[in-house]
Amino acid sequence: MLTAMVDFHTHILPDIDDGSRGVEESLQMLHAMPEVSCVIATPHFYARENTPERFLRRRTAAWEKLRERLDGTEPDIRLGAEVCYFEGICRSGELPALCIEGTNVLLLEMPFESWSSRALNDLLELGHRADVQIVLAHAERYDIFYHKRDWQRIADSPILIQCNAAFFLHLRTRHRALRLLKNGYIHLLGSDCHGIERRVPNLGEAAQVIRKCLGEDALRDIDRMALYLLDGKGAE
């Protein structure tokens, strides 16, 4: 069993988005992931609803409510955000404030409908910015992920790809997930957990599938990338 699995995408902070509905649920979620040593708390950030300053105040308040109840048996928690794409994002000077604390890593959620050429170009431009390292959240949920020509432009860029554990657990997607991971197209994993009964912590289950089908080294590679990013070194 790996001892340093990182869940790179979670909604475990209480009462801030559509994730945990309170401190008790947050604690249950954290205790339901014994194989995870570090959790990135990534509540949704929507530019149309919050300024970064207001979002960070709300995130701090949610974190303080949870932190005072931790007993030391939980995984380490690092604060970040899941930033929803908005027009002009590639020129925004406020993005570094939304990166995972202590890093330049920004978890980015793109639109679920077909992307416009502008959205794709914004993403690619953002991917080449020097002050942020883009991680594309739950990439398997986007239509473009299944169109080789456009997707190859993303794969050839500095953008890193995070996929959800469910991608490896559903029978209809497992084979593709394993193939993409084996071929180096998936860099990071997350549970994208939202609750203890819905969209639950399941990174350990995905790890079991990966370990069985691809071996321990495949998991170690993901772990090394996550820890490298969390060291504040960006990605090469």
Side-chain angles (χ1 to χ4, degrees):
M1 176 69 68
L2 287 177
T3 59
M5 287 187 66
V6 177
D7 192 334
F8 220 83
H9 184 169
T10 75
H11 296 270
I12 56 97
L13 291 184
D15 302 316
I16 187 172
D17 61 6
D18 61 343
S20 169
R21 292 168 289 195
V23 172
E24 294 298 335
E25 184 167 34
S26 295
L27 292 171
Q28 289 178 314
M29 293 166 71
L30 289 167
H31 290 141
M33 47 177 80
E35 60 287 304
V36 172
S37 67
C38 182
V39 171
I40 313 302
T42 52
H44 292 286
F45 171 80
Y46 300 109
R48 66 180 182 274
E49 298 177 0
N50 282 293
T51 63
E53 293 78 13
R54 181 171 182 268
F55 169 81
L56 293 174
R57 287 196 300 269
R58 295 178 62 236
R59 190 185 70 180
T60 297
W63 168 231
E64 291 298 333
K65 284 197 299 184
L66 176 58
R67 181 164 64 175
E68 66 183 18
R69 294 285 305 280
L70 300 177
D71 63 13
T73 63
E74 303 85 3
D76 291 335
I77 299 171
R78 296 279 289 271
L79 302 180
E82 181 182 4
V83 178
C84 183
Y85 169 83
F86 55 92
E87 287 191 6
I89 190 172
C90 59
R91 294 178 294 280
S92 173
E94 298 179 315
L95 297 182
L98 299 169
C99 290
I100 298 169
E101 57 181 349
T103 79
N104 68 341
V105 179
L106 187 82
L107 185 68
L108 178 68
E109 179 180 59
M110 291 295 288
F112 291 131
E113 67 270 14
S114 295
W115 300 354
S116 65
S117 58
R118 177 174 180 175
L120 176 58
N121 289 334
D122 278 352
L123 172 63
L124 293 170
E125 183 175 343
L126 188 57
H128 284 90
R129 270 181 51 165
D131 59 341
V132 290
Q133 168 62 62
I134 297 300
V135 173
L136 190 59
H138 43 55
E140 75 282 356
R141 297 171 65 181
Y142 307 125
D143 288 345
I144 197 172
F145 191 65
Y146 303 96
H147 299 290
K148 184 175 181 180
R149 184 187 65 180
D150 287 336
W151 183 255
Q152 193 61 47
R153 296 176 65 191
I154 298 173
D156 291 341
S157 79
I159 295 166
L160 298 176
I161 303 304
Q162 178 260 311
C163 285
N164 283 357
F167 192 36
F168 293 85
L169 297 176
H170 294 159
L171 291 178
R172 64 183 178 83
T173 60
R174 179 180 297 171
H175 177 75
R176 178 179 174 84
L178 291 167
R179 177 166 52 84
L180 289 170
L181 178 59
K182 181 178 180 180
N183 292 335
Y185 288 100
I186 298 173
H187 308 106
L188 298 158
L189 297 178
S191 65
D192 195 8
C193 57
H194 278 61
I196 200 62
E197 295 180 346
R198 71 210 194 286
R199 296 174 68 175
V200 301
N202 58 0
L203 195 64
E205 296 174 54
Q208 290 178 16
V209 171
I210 294 168
R211 184 180 293 111
K212 178 180 178 180
C213 297
L214 300 180
E216 197 76 32
D217 285 347
L219 286 172
R220 289 198 180 97
D221 288 343
I222 294 171
D223 183 54
R224 289 190 189 104
M225 174 60 79
L227 295 177
Y228 183 75
L229 294 175
L230 295 179
D231 279 343
K233 299 175 181 176
E236 296 180 342

